[in-house]
Each structure stands twice: as structure tokens, then as C-alpha cells.
Amino acid sequence: ATLRVRPAGALVSTRGHRVARRRADRRLAARSDYSTNDRDVSVEKPPSDDGAKQTPVKKVVIIGGGLAGLGCLASLSGHKHINATLLESTRVLGGRVRSKAALGALAWDQGASYFTAKDPSTPFAEVLRKGRADGVVELWAGGDASPGARVGTMGTKEEAGGHVLDESSWEPFAASKELYVGVPSMAELPVFVAEKVANAVRPEASWLGDNAVPGTPEYLTNAFADRIQALRTQDTGAWPANVPHSGSDRNWGLMIRCREGGHMWYKPWESDVVVLATQAPAAAKLTAQILKSVGADGDGGDGYGIASKILAMASAADRIRGNHCWSLTVAFAEPLNLPYEGVMMKEPFDGGIAWFANNSSKPGRPEPGKGKGAQTAGWAYRWAEVGTSLTVGQGECWVVQASPEWSNERAEMSPDDAAKELCEAFLKLVGRSESEVKPVHVKAVIWKFAYPLNPAGDPSDDSKRYLFDPDLGLGACGDWTSGPRAGDAYDSGVALGRAVAEHLASELNQKETSESEGKAR
């Protein structure tokens, strides 16, 4: 049996208040049949005298709650020898699978517009099937969608004043290309993966890890890995002099920062494996921080035999180059009455736009003119926005994504200026003017490194979809190790999770074999 409490000093808020039951801790610490481990923030009762043996548990921390991190979490779920914890720094899961709403009846998928599965045998294709059966995924176009959205490709032609759509070049997507969307928004799928596929639980920030059950992962949003330090080396077992963890048998020490309820909580953490499920620039920054923790110089000479391996992963992440993407969310008081719901522009992107879609045409979205508008908006929305919206939260919603060239050139532009310029380009492209159709909402966000140009791995080979050094207990996955699609990132995470689970199981088996041989002698 295990009794878990929060020992004094293990968890402290920024207001300086100790979050611990001090009296209970003192009583438990005074008892000879219990021992306190501050790093594990638990008080564990040792095995009973009846010979029952506790199964050793390995810890894995996943940094990043996009589809890659969620795929890794799902792959680690159910393994009784693993405690997996996912940390997402933003308030929601999904990474670039992101949706937004305004005024109660306006909704956009401002990141990924749809999901596809290149191969029905992939883990991501299985997730889409499960999501569809559960009602959180529906078919938008292609396949047996009824009625299917009109989605295809189109080029431009030059007219006085700029480039407009060349409707004679319209080519619909093949019916075999199935486009899936989350319902009622794309953001539903990441939550579904975390809670239904990975069967993960979301504890309160102050209780993260305290009551973890092996095989049942945990996840937390608004959680940051402030520091990552190497605690030991696999080669020599030597301890870096600047790391005060000489009693640990794990590989990594972290300081986790969690934001919840107006407080910021800090919690020390140790892990056998760290998975970087982030964008390439973030992975490069984190691995550089790890290098610093082992005292490595620029040549990777640390004296502990691990810096060169960390440097190799840091270099792989640092070499990745990617295009940015400005994404416009716009709503109009009256329908645009365009004869299509989604258009992938043909290169060259003369109009500065690569893709646009009628978000209101997707299943489960508010229909223009039929929503309750600001009545359902809640106090989170500004009264100024409610007052200036002519339709009070009702309108046809479109998502417009700029071309890589347009986005890269304007990477430092303010969101307001980018939104205005992109909206003008979109209206010009579709042959409309603001005098005809009044925008009631115009916002823009930039996705940095949205399309990796030189992925570090090979998406055609599961063993090369990720980076993993078993000796270090350090891995990386995501679109920058596999491919640009959401499914590529998810499958990358699943493949890495499987590799981590196999490695940790092998490590435990080797340890048990070694202990058995020692007893036999």
C-alpha cells in the first residue's frame, strides 16, 4: 500500500506560502516504517514481509502538448512500469490544432483546417476512426460525406488592380481524399486523444504526480519545464559537481512551473526519460540548456561522456528551417455566396494567399444568422467588441492562410496590420469589396515554423520518425522529425513512445536479471 502526501517544502507558491500539511508530515516522518523522498513528493510504505514485490516504475516527462506529444502519451499509456506526464505551456492542448470563438456564434479553426490520413493503417488514421465513432470527428469533404463540401485547387489571373481567382482553373479534390474535422471544433480532437485514447487524467497543478497510478498518464496545461539538468551519465555513473542529486537513480532533474488559480507553483521533478515534443527552435533551446547543465563547452567536451550526444540532438534541431504562416480569421455580416467551401491556391501564390475556407460550412459549426450571438458570449468577451459587431455575434466565418513568401516577409508585422492587409488581399482575390460585404470580425495570428522545410527524420520509416538516445534517456518528435501534416506529427510521437516503452522494459528486465544472478552467487 502507498500513502502519498505532500512533504513540507516540496511545493511552494510564488506568494511564499508552503503548500504542505506540516503536522501530518512530521508524524509520518517520525514513524520508523515510513521514509520521505522529497524528490518524489511522496511517502511510501515499503513492501510487507510476506514477500510481495513492488514493480519498479520508470518516469517519462513529455514537454509539449501538440499532436506529437499526445501521440507519445497515448503510446506510453497502459504500461504498468511507466508513469508518463505531459506538460503543455499554453492553456489548451493541440499545438497548431487550434480553434477560437468570439461573440458566442463566431468560430474558426485558425490552425489546421482539416485532418487527412495518408494511410489507413497508421495510428493517426485509427484515431480519426475512433473520433468519428465517438462523435468528435466528422467528414467534411470526400469519401461518404453528405453533402460534401466543395473543396479543390484553383489558380489566379491578373486583372486591373491585382490578381483574382481564375475559376476556369478549378479542380475539385478527388473523392478518395477524405477531409476530416473536429466537432464542434478542431480543438476537440486533442482533448479526445488525451482523455479517451491515452486515458490520461488531469490533476490539480498542486497535486501533479502526487497520486500518479502507473500505466495511467497525467497531463497539465499552463505547465512549463523551467530547467532541465542531467543528473548522471550512463557511461560512468559520474555526477556533475553542480547538480545536488547524488542519491538519485534517474537521468534528469527538472523544475516544473505550473500556473493555476492565480498562483504559480514550482515543483522539483525527476525523470528517467525526457521527450521534447516541441517545435524545432524550442527543442534546440532546451537541448542547449541541458548542455549547459553538464558544463559542456562548444566542442561538447564535458568530461562525463554525454555532452557529445546532447550536442548531436541540439544540432539536429538547430538545422531545421521552416516557413511561417499568417492565419486570418474574418467574419462577414452577409454570406459571400462563393461556389466553394475551401480552395488550395496553385503556385505561384500571386495573390499572397495559399488557402482559404468557409469555416461555417463545417459540420457542427454555428450556421450564419442562426446562433444566439452575444447572449452566449459570457463575461470573457469585451463589451466593446459586442457593441461594434453589427450582427451581434452572427456571421459567415472564413479562415485565410497566407502563402509562405507573404508570411515570411511580414514575420515581424503587427497582428492588426497583418489582419488588415490579408483581409484586403482576400476580398480582392474573391472579387468582393468592403462596401459589398462588411467584415464584423478581423483578426490574425502568425504560426512560426509552421512548415518545416528539412525534417530531420524519414516519415516512411517508423524507426526514423523521431530522435532517441536510449543511453541518455532523451528523445524528440514532431513535424520537424517526420513531416508537416498533423498526422505525421502524431505518428512520430506514437513511434517514439513505443521505442521508449521498449527501452524501459528492457532496462528493467536487465536489472532484474542482474539482481537474480547476484543472489544466485
Side-chain angles (χ1 to χ4, degrees):
T2 299
L3 176 63
R4 297 183 178 275
V5 300
R6 292 182 279 186
L11 191 62
V12 184
S13 77
T14 52
R15 296 185 182 183
H17 298 298
R18 302 268 185 198
V19 184
R21 292 174 294 187
R22 292 183 176 86
R23 294 181 181 175
D25 291 341
R26 293 192 191 103
R27 288 197 300 268
L28 289 171
R31 293 173 58 180
S32 60
D33 57 343
Y34 285 89
S35 62
T36 303
N37 180 341
D38 286 338
R39 289 181 299 278
D40 195 39
V41 290
S42 65
V43 177
E44 299 190 356
K45 188 175 181 179
S48 60
D49 297 332
D50 60 4
K53 183 179 179 181
Q54 288 186 333
T55 302
V57 175
K58 295 288 188 176
K59 288 188 174 183
V60 179
V61 63
I62 303 167
I63 301 174
L67 286 186
L70 290 169
C72 188
L73 192 72
S75 197
L76 293 171
S77 178
H79 293 279
K80 297 301 182 183
H81 63 287
I82 295 176
N83 270 345
T85 304
L86 182 145
L87 307 175
E88 166 56 39
S89 61
T90 67
R91 61 183 178 82
V92 293
L93 298 172
R96 289 194 298 275
V97 179
R98 189 68 62 89
S99 302
K100 64 171 286 186
L103 301 174
L106 303 180
W108 303 265
D109 301 315
Q110 60 181 351
S113 288
Y114 56 83
F115 302 118
T116 58
K118 294 183 291 186
D119 184 338
S121 65
T122 62
F124 189 64
E126 178 63 20
V127 163
L128 292 179
R129 287 191 289 271
K130 289 181 178 178
R132 195 175 185 189
D134 204 68
V136 299
V137 171
E138 287 192 27
L139 200 56
W140 180 39
D144 59 358
S146 178
R150 295 158 295 180
V151 183
T153 63
M154 196 183 300
T156 61
K157 60 184 179 181
E158 193 169 1
E159 288 189 356
H163 291 85
V164 298
L165 292 174
D166 180 8
E167 298 194 2
S168 65
S169 65
W170 165 258
E171 294 180 17
F173 283 173
S176 59
K177 185 172 184 176
E178 298 178 331
L179 310 184
Y180 293 92
V181 296
V183 177
S185 72
M186 295 291 277
E188 292 301 311
L189 186 69
V191 176
F192 171 77
V193 172
E195 298 181 352
K196 298 293 183 67
V197 178
N199 295 313
V201 296
R202 181 176 181 173
E204 293 182 12
S206 58
W207 285 101
L208 180 68
D210 290 358
N211 296 297
V213 177
T216 302
E218 292 186 335
Y219 76 94
L220 194 65
T221 57
N222 288 322
F224 307 79
D226 269 0
R227 294 191 299 275
I228 306 176
Q229 291 184 317
L231 300 185
R232 66 185 180 90
T233 71
Q234 297 285 357
D235 298 336
T236 65
W239 295 88
N242 60 333
V243 181
H245 290 269
S246 59
S248 176
D249 60 350
R250 304 194 189 276
N251 295 329
W252 304 103
L254 300 87
M255 179 59 73
I256 296 178
R257 175 166 52 98
C258 314
R259 187 169 59 237
E260 181 181 78
H263 293 262
M264 194 70 79
W265 308 100
Y266 288 85
K267 192 162 194 175
W269 199 270
E270 291 187 2
S271 184
D272 297 280
V273 175
V274 169
V275 170
L276 306 179
T278 64
Q279 287 185 312
K285 184 176 180 180
L286 287 168
T287 46
Q289 180 190 99
I290 295 171
L291 267 175
K292 195 173 182 181
S293 78
V294 298
D297 57 29
D299 298 324
D302 64 331
Y304 301 107
I306 62 173
S308 59
K309 296 178 180 180
I310 299 172
L311 185 59
M313 192 169 294
S315 299
D318 196 50
R319 283 195 299 268
I320 303 301
R321 297 293 175 264
N323 286 322
H324 306 318
C325 178
W326 273 106
S327 181
L328 171 74
T329 56
V330 58
F332 300 98
E334 301 296 333
L336 295 185
N337 294 318
L338 298 181
Y340 25 74
E341 280 76 47
V343 175
M344 186 77 70
M345 300 303 302
K346 297 178 180 179
E347 296 188 47
F349 305 116
D350 294 320
I353 292 171
W355 161 261
F356 61 89
N358 180 358
N359 213 81
S360 299
S361 71
K362 294 180 179 180
R365 273 58 175 179
E367 293 184 46
K370 294 185 180 181
K372 294 182 179 180
Q375 299 174 41
T376 62
W379 292 104
Y381 296 101
R382 296 173 293 127
W383 284 109
E385 189 175 8
V386 174
T388 57
S389 175
L390 300 181
T391 56
V392 198
Q394 298 180 10
E396 188 174 72
C397 299
W398 289 77
V399 173
V400 182
Q401 294 179 350
S403 68
E405 296 80 10
W406 196 97
S407 299
N408 294 341
E409 291 172 2
R410 296 163 177 79
E412 303 305 321
M413 180 179 280
S414 73
D416 288 344
D417 290 342
K420 180 180 179 181
E421 190 172 334
L422 197 50
C423 185
E424 291 174 354
F426 171 62
L427 290 175
K428 184 182 296 183
L429 187 69
V430 298
R432 301 289 191 273
S433 66
E434 287 198 23
S435 60
E436 298 177 75
V437 288
K438 176 68 177 177
V440 296
H441 175 103
V442 182
K443 301 279 186 180
V445 63
I446 187 169
W447 298 106
K448 296 290 186 76
F449 285 85
Y451 307 107
L453 300 176
N454 55 330
D458 181 0
S460 64
D461 185 345
D462 273 355
S463 65
K464 297 180 180 178
R465 287 179 176 271
Y466 56 85
L467 305 178
F468 182 48
D469 190 314
D471 293 335
L472 287 178
L474 182 64
C477 58
D479 55 6
W480 66 275
T481 67
S482 55
R485 300 171 185 268
D488 294 330
Y490 183 84
D491 292 343
S492 167
V494 169
L496 176 54
R498 289 171 177 169
V500 169
E502 289 174 6
H503 164 66
L504 293 178
S506 174
E507 208 174 56
L508 287 173
N509 289 337
Q510 290 176 7
K511 184 177 180 181
E512 288 180 1
T513 301
S514 177
E515 289 176 352
S516 298
E517 291 176 350
K519 290 178 180 179
R521 293 194 197 97

